[in-house]
Amino acid sequence: MSSYNNTARFSEARRVAIFGGTHGNEMSGVTLVNLWTKNGAEIQRKAVEAVPFITNPKAVEKCTRYVDTDLNRAFTPENLSSNRMSGNNLPYEVLRAQEINRIFGPKGSPEAYDVIFDLHNTTSNMGCTLILESSKDYFNLQMMNYIKKAMAPASCLVLLNEHPLLKYSTSRSVAKHPVGLEVGPQPQGVLRSNIFEAMRVILKHALDFIELFNEGVEFPPCTVEVFRVLERIDYPRDANGNIIAMVHPNLQDCDWEPLNPGDPMFQTFDGKTIHYQGSGTVYPTFINEAAYYEKQQAFITTRRETLVASAIKKA
Amino acid sequence: MTARTSSVLLFVCLYNKKRESNIQLTPSFFFSWKQMESVSFPLLSRVAICGGTHGNEMTGVYMMRHLQKEKIDKIGSVSVSTVLSNPRAVEVCRRYVETDLNRCFTEALLNSPVTDSTPYELRRAQELNAQIGPKGSKEAVDLLIDIHNTTSNMGLCLIFYSIDWFTLHILKYLQSKMTSVEVRAIQLDIPISEAYSLESVGKHGFAIEVGPQPNGVVRADIYNMVKEAVDHVFSWLQEFNSGSTFEEGEVEAYTLVKSIDYPRNPVTGEITAAIHSQLQDNDFKLLQRGDPIFLSFSGETVKNRAAAIICRGKDMRAR
């Protein structure tokens, strides 16, 4: 493809934000941002202004995912538009989204921050995961390629959510290059040292990449393996909406492993197995995430894809 | 009809925090006693199983829902009450709404007058006490089992107050039946009147505490383990009620020495370290003097300076 022969030029990535506490009970990000707010030496890089920021302080205070509504779904065009201005009646998180959009955006404009890293934890056994919102964002693809290579042999996988219906309006989407960091398994409200340190290392490599890029290093074309979101699978429920089965022990903790048609998927409370009925092999992830019971999601299915990124260089 | 049971010889392992020593400590026997006569008890005919005492500990929540859907009110010779202890907390999937329900069952709190400012959970505790107690009376259920989860890697634990023949025999029975799982027991050395948790309402009672499971999540492997344990408890009850004798024996239990907090900033109270990865998930393993306990955010390791102890993990924030 001829477009990959050209080097894509991006402006210097000077303005970088690190978001923690978008969900107030996901402790790695809360702890790292609080740490770096007190002493930001670790996140300083030449020619980079790295700003640590707690996005949902009220939820952090209560150690809860959100107060009124999920902040990480609140950055919709409708919520951010100037028509939605009635102050007191708006959910807390919508007000926060507008505030964050003023500080780090406006979303979609040239004034928006260059990069936002949004730090999350999951109860799922996802390990270190980077979340990408666009397969055409070569800057992000190159960064993720750099991070994966720097972390090797430790694993760092890329989840691509470009699905027209399942993609959602994240806090990081305010930036030109949004990057989600999702590390698990970690229970809500708990800080695990290994998870905390892993997230710290991912960010270190990410900031190193940005520094190199800003110095003028050209990154040659690369390929990146990603897992593209296909479908959301809910728990089996009864007529009243109560779940009637759990993620099957054979599927529990098996994020990123192939799920084949006929494999066990759920187990009812009286011990029966429900099998996966899809037409082909998929790669499940976000398996049994605590926060997604209310979002009608037991896990999502993905397929493996190789994306190509052109060379990139500072403009 | 009475049934016969026998005494047990109990060794409790206690790590004495006051000992100073440069050598590795071995378990010290806190106390032991021996009774040679066998003891008889009347039938255990009324049992309460409780779940959702903490609204985000999901094994008990889903188990109660399932049992109530199946309308289970009798198992063999035993009548069963299935109780969803804290429905408002379950509704919002939080540990509690106003105050921790599982701290509301002291005699003093159960008898305190209800006013407009009485927290929801205290009212609920008094309701539960009327329903399956009253605590200390002959109307109380014979056995109360309260199902809990923890994010800690504790496996399957029974938690109980007094040296109760029933709990010890049930413990021994579970250990003999569930051979692929380690079944442990923790004894809280508190007199019943001051006992603050739900299981103290029954004439006999214990909590089944199982982990690791995150709040708000139901894991099938944990659920299946607890279901199996509850099934075995009911089998034991049938055997007991049909006149079997349970022979004397010995069981090992753990008893609480002290609670250790995170290192904190003296001004803000914020924690300054995480549990060290070498301690994380190592519940019930001996922690030697000099072993790492915490890893501070600035990279220093905080080590155990006390004599050898066994640690049981807890949530960072009990929410």
Side-chain angles (χ1 to χ4, degrees):
Chain A
M1 299 195 202
S2 58
S3 60
Y4 301 121
N5 293 332
N6 302 326
T7 302
R9 299 278 177 163
F10 294 91
S11 53
E12 191 178 53
R14 175 171 284 276
R15 294 157 81 226
V16 173
I18 302 172
F19 284 177
T22 296
H23 296 133
N25 52 12
E26 295 177 12
M27 304 309 295
S28 302
V30 172
T31 309
L32 281 169
V33 165
N34 283 340
L35 196 68
W36 290 330
T37 301
K38 286 195 196 55
N39 182 352
E42 198 178 323
I43 57 172
Q44 290 321 307
R45 299 288 189 281
K46 241 184 1 219
V48 179
E49 292 157 22
V51 176
F53 188 79
I54 295 283
T55 42
N56 197 338
K58 263 201 192 168
V60 169
E61 174 61 35
K62 293 176 188 258
C63 197
T64 187
R65 182 177 175 86
Y66 56 80
V67 173
D68 293 329
T69 186
D70 193 333
L71 179 62
N72 215 29
R73 305 289 183 276
F75 288 76
T76 60
E78 185 201 18
N79 282 349
L80 300 181
S81 78
S82 51
N83 299 334
R84 197 99 149 86
M85 278 287 230
S86 51
N88 290 343
N89 298 332
L90 289 177
Y92 168 74
E93 278 85 6
V94 172
L95 292 170
R96 272 312 278 173
Q98 292 177 347
E99 176 76 6
I100 288 163
N101 193 41
R102 270 192 287 278
I103 303 171
F104 298 100
K107 178 167 167 173
S109 76
E111 292 80 45
Y113 262 57
D114 298 298
V115 186
I116 295 178
F117 298 103
D118 193 17
L119 308 185
H120 287 267
N121 293 119
T122 174
T123 59
S124 304
N125 189 27
M126 285 170 76
C128 294
T129 303
L130 299 168
I131 306 185
L132 181 64
E133 300 192 1
S134 162
S135 57
K136 303 283 186 288
D137 188 339
Y138 297 149
F139 179 87
N140 270 358
L141 275 169
Q142 287 279 3
M143 186 198 307
M144 293 182 182
N145 179 57
Y146 179 90
I147 294 169
K148 281 163 71 83
K149 292 204 158 53
M151 303 267 299
S155 157
C156 188
L157 300 178
V158 177
L159 178 68
L160 169 65
N161 192 357
E162 214 173 26
H163 192 293
L165 299 174
L166 297 181
K167 99 178 260 162
Y168 46 85
S169 308
T170 56
S171 51
R172 58 186 177 268
S173 67
V174 165
K176 294 179 184 133
H177 304 288
V179 181
L181 272 65
E182 188 84 57
V183 187
Q186 179 170 271
Q188 298 168 344
V190 166
L191 185 71
R192 289 181 67 95
S193 181
N194 60 331
I195 301 283
F196 172 81
E197 295 296 334
M199 193 174 275
R200 207 173 186 171
V201 166
I202 296 174
L203 270 161
K204 173 196 144 20
H205 293 312
L207 291 171
D208 289 346
F209 169 86
I210 295 176
E211 185 177 44
L212 290 168
F213 176 82
N214 288 351
E215 281 171 0
V217 169
E218 175 164 345
F219 292 86
C222 68
T223 59
V224 184
E225 185 183 70
V226 305
F227 290 83
R228 181 188 285 273
V229 171
L230 290 178
E231 189 179 14
R232 167 203 297 159
I233 308 284
D234 191 12
Y235 293 93
R237 291 174 191 269
D238 64 17
N240 297 325
N242 297 315
I243 78 167
I244 55 172
M246 308 167 276
V247 170
H248 195 278
N250 287 18
L251 177 58
Q252 179 69 52
D253 301 336
C254 293
D255 298 71
W256 313 116
E257 292 175 32
L259 179 69
N260 304 304
D263 284 351
M265 184 171 56
F266 295 111
Q267 183 211 292
T268 65
F269 292 110
D270 48 18
K272 296 195 213 13
T273 297
I274 297 172
H275 301 271
Y276 177 59
Q277 304 285 354
S279 53
T281 297
V282 291
Y283 294 84
T285 193
F286 273 119
I287 298 174
N288 207 351
E289 158 57 51
Y292 291 166
Y293 283 60
E294 69 174 21
K295 295 195 194 316
Q296 282 84 49
Q297 184 176 308
F299 60 95
I300 55 172
T301 60
T302 70
R303 69 160 182 263
R304 289 166 78 155
E305 241 177 71
T306 302
L307 296 185
V308 183
S310 68
I312 65 167
K313 194 175 162 131
K314 182 178 80 167
Chain B
M1 173 175 130
T2 60
R4 290 193 309 159
T5 185
S6 298
S7 62
V8 295
L9 180 71
L10 170 67
F11 290 95
V12 175
C13 294
L14 168 65
Y15 289 81
N16 185 342
K17 66 184 194 283
K18 293 193 176 66
R19 274 210 209 166
E20 294 294 336
S21 172
N22 292 324
I23 58 168
Q24 181 179 331
L25 287 178
T26 52
S28 71
F29 296 125
F30 176 57
F31 67 91
S32 65
W33 78 95
K34 208 166 173 180
Q35 283 175 271
M36 293 309 291
E37 77 275 12
S38 68
V39 183
S40 298
F41 290 92
L43 287 183
L44 290 172
S45 57
R46 293 168 57 232
V47 176
I49 315 181
C50 306
T53 301
H54 294 132
N56 54 9
E57 295 177 13
M58 304 311 291
T59 304
V61 171
Y62 284 110
M63 193 165 288
M64 291 313 106
R65 285 208 185 129
H66 180 69
L67 291 172
Q68 286 172 357
K69 206 166 168 179
E70 303 289 300
K71 298 190 176 19
I72 303 290
D73 60 4
K74 205 159 171 65
I75 298 176
S77 55
V78 179
S79 80
V80 181
S81 305
T82 54
V83 181
L84 192 68
S85 315
N86 194 339
R88 274 181 60 185
V90 169
E91 179 65 35
V92 291
C93 198
R94 308 262 304 151
R95 182 176 174 87
Y96 56 81
V97 176
E98 291 176 59
T99 190
D100 192 334
L101 176 62
N102 216 28
R103 300 293 181 273
C104 289
F105 293 93
T106 63
E107 297 274 2
L109 286 172
L110 288 176
N111 294 319
S112 63
V114 171
T115 67
D116 285 341
S117 59
T118 301
Y120 164 73
E121 275 88 2
L122 186 43
R123 291 172 202 261
R124 183 67 185 139
Q126 296 188 356
E127 234 171 69
L128 289 167
N129 192 43
Q131 184 188 339
I132 54 184
K135 175 165 163 170
S137 77
K138 58 178 165 49
E139 287 80 33
V141 291
D142 297 310
L143 180 65
L144 196 162
I145 304 168
D146 190 20
I147 300 176
H148 285 265
N149 293 117
T150 171
T151 59
S152 304
N153 188 27
M154 281 171 70
L156 177 59
C157 274
L158 304 193
I159 305 182
F160 55 97
Y161 285 99
S162 42
I163 306 298
D164 183 303
W165 303 136
F166 290 106
T167 310
L168 297 177
H169 274 283
I170 288 171
L171 169 66
K172 193 155 150 283
Y173 185 80
L174 284 178
Q175 287 174 337
S176 71
K177 294 290 182 186
M178 296 180 74
T179 49
S180 59
V181 167
E182 187 136 10
V183 183
R184 295 189 181 91
I186 299 176
Q187 188 234 346
L188 303 177
D189 200 9
I190 302 174
I192 283 288
S193 60
E194 282 151 49
Y196 46 75
S197 46
L198 174 55
E199 71 271 21
S200 66
V201 170
K203 292 198 185 79
H204 309 280
F206 54 88
I208 299 182
E209 179 92 54
V210 192
Q213 180 169 274
N215 294 341
V217 163
V218 64
R219 287 181 63 103
D221 53 0
I222 300 273
Y223 185 93
N224 293 342
M225 190 199 310
V226 175
K227 177 158 191 322
E228 189 189 339
V230 170
D231 287 345
H232 285 311
V233 171
F234 278 94
S235 299
W236 185 90
L237 288 168
Q238 304 311 326
E239 277 191 51
F240 177 81
N241 285 347
S242 66
S244 297
T245 298
F246 292 92
E247 295 304 322
E248 69 175 46
E250 50 182 68
V251 282
E252 189 177 85
Y254 295 83
T255 187
L256 194 66
V257 174
K258 71 174 181 178
S259 179
I260 296 179
D261 193 9
Y262 293 87
R264 292 180 188 272
N265 180 308
V267 173
T268 62
E270 285 174 353
I271 70 164
T272 57
I275 289 185
H276 198 281
S277 55
Q278 280 179 238
L279 177 58
Q280 181 70 57
D281 302 336
N282 284 323
D283 295 68
F284 298 110
K285 296 206 177 113
L286 184 61
L287 182 73
Q288 311 278 13
R289 185 193 288 276
D291 283 348
I293 305 187
F294 297 112
L295 179 64
S296 78
F297 303 139
S298 50
E300 286 101 45
T301 297
V302 176
K303 297 183 178 172
N304 176 33
R305 289 180 298 190
I309 53 176
I310 278 180
C311 292
R312 179 181 77 104
K314 282 186 93 140
D315 297 354
M316 185 174 94
R317 295 175 76 139
R319 287 265 169 185

